[in-house]
Structures are given as structure tokens and as C-alpha cells.
Amino acid sequence: MHSTRDRELASAHWLLSAAPAIKEARREWAENGITVLRCGGIFTAIRISAGIMHAAAGTEDPVAVSDYLARVLRGPVFADQTSRRFYVLVPASTSKLPVWKGNTVPDVECLGGSSFLGVPRPGRDDPRETRCHWVVPMDGPGDLCSPQAVRQLIDYGRFRLAAAERADDE
């Protein structure tokens, strides 16, 4: 069994392998709590609107959303409260799957090899202290979400949003 701190350090080291400049990325994490990493090498990110995530979870309560996402995705998710978007880390090959190729609808986008992404430092997980934080922290290096589970979550969230709209129209 490894401590939370050990898992955070291992995850940080792994994530830093996606940094264009590792020393600068470490400095940015230390000073700002966030650094820019390249998608497509060791991970791809699926950007999802808060509306879809909250609809799927059935709540906007941060603790309940975190618990729900940990249960259904079983992998790392972080959120940017300012843009109201969640970022789910999935295997790098995800952007090459037919279901994700060219997927750039307003509420969901697959960020593959030509994308850069601001990623919070592992351990930065308190939404009251920072605008960009881990909702579901990484459990260790290479701990990523299943692309199929992410797709199901998105479809479920969209279904619940559509059902709510229909109910409002009646």
C-alpha cells in the first residue's frame, strides 16, 4: 500500500513526461499550481461541459459529483471552475478511435496530439482554494479512464439534459 503523497509524486513524475520543458513545468506547478502539458503522447483528454457532468451525476454538489465520477469513471478527472469544464484523462490512443475522431461539438471535445492543456498539480484538489483542481485524483502513473465509460457518461448526461428540456416544455 502506498501513501497518498507517494501516489501524487509518482503521478506528477509521470505527467511531467508530457511537458515541453520539465524544469519549467515543475516551477509552474510550484508557483501557480498548474502547468501546460501536451496531449497525445501519454494521455488524451476529453473536455466535457459542466452541464453534461452535472446532469449525469444528478447534482451540482462538488462532493457528490466527485463521488459519482470516481465510481463510474474510475480514473482521473479535473475541473476548471471558470470555464465550467471537466477534463477526463484517457489513453493517448483514444483520439484515434472512430467515435472520437473529429469530435468537436460545443459541449465535448477530444484533445489529442496537437493539443496542449493546463493541468493542475497532483494534490491540488480543493475547489474552494483553486479554480482548477482534481475532482478525481490520479491513483498512480498511467491510471486513466476507459474511453467507453467516458462515452457512456456523456451519452447519459445528454439524455438527462434532453429529458429535462422535454419536461420543461410540457
Side-chain angles (χ1 to χ4, degrees), residues 95-146:
S95 63
K96 295 177 176 83
L97 297 173
V99 70
W100 294 109
K101 275 189 170 183
N103 189 337
T104 56
V105 294
D107 52 0
V108 175
E109 185 174 3
C110 182
L111 305 173
S114 62
S115 301
F116 288 86
L117 178 62
V119 177
R121 176 187 72 247
R124 187 176 167 151
D125 56 8
D126 189 340
R128 296 167 302 188
E129 294 178 9
T130 179
R131 74 173 185 91
C132 190
H133 64 282
W134 290 97
V135 176
V136 181
M138 291 188 77
D139 196 36
D143 168 42
L144 300 170
C145 297
S146 156

Side-chain angles (χ1 to χ4, degrees), residues 3-160:
S3 71
T4 299
R5 181 73 181 133
D6 288 344
R7 287 193 306 273
E8 287 172 0
L9 286 171
S11 297
H13 181 73
W14 183 78
L15 284 167
L16 285 171
S17 68
I22 293 175
K23 285 183 181 180
E24 184 173 327
R26 281 182 208 253
R27 182 186 56 73
E28 289 172 348
W29 265 350
E31 293 175 5
N32 307 319
I34 191 167
T35 194
V36 175
L37 302 178
R38 177 186 280 285
C39 298
I42 61 170
F43 67 85
T44 286
I46 307 296
R47 179 171 45 211
I48 306 168
S49 72
I52 288 177
M53 293 299 234
H54 293 152
T59 182
E60 291 187 23
D61 175 68
V63 173
V65 171
S66 176
D67 290 346
Y68 175 78
L69 294 176
R71 202 171 54 253
V72 300
L73 294 180
R74 299 180 184 180
V77 179
F78 66 90
D80 182 328
Q81 295 181 100
T82 303
S83 68
R84 296 192 35 83
R85 293 184 176 149
F86 287 75
Y87 296 84
V88 181
L89 300 188
V90 293
S93 60
T94 301
S95 63
K96 295 177 176 83
L97 297 173
V99 70
W100 294 109
K101 275 189 170 183
N103 189 337
T104 56
V105 294
D107 52 0
V108 175
E109 185 174 3
C110 182
L111 305 173
S114 62
S115 301
F116 288 86
L117 178 62
V119 177
R121 176 187 72 247
R124 187 176 167 151
D125 56 8
D126 189 340
R128 296 167 302 188
E129 294 178 9
T130 179
R131 74 173 185 91
C132 190
H133 64 282
W134 290 97
V135 176
V136 181
M138 291 188 77
D139 196 36
D143 168 42
L144 300 170
C145 297
S146 156
Q148 293 81 11
V150 176
R151 188 76 226 181
Q152 289 175 346
L153 174 81
I154 292 166
D155 290 345
Y156 182 59
R158 285 180 172 160
F159 170 79
R160 292 193 67 177

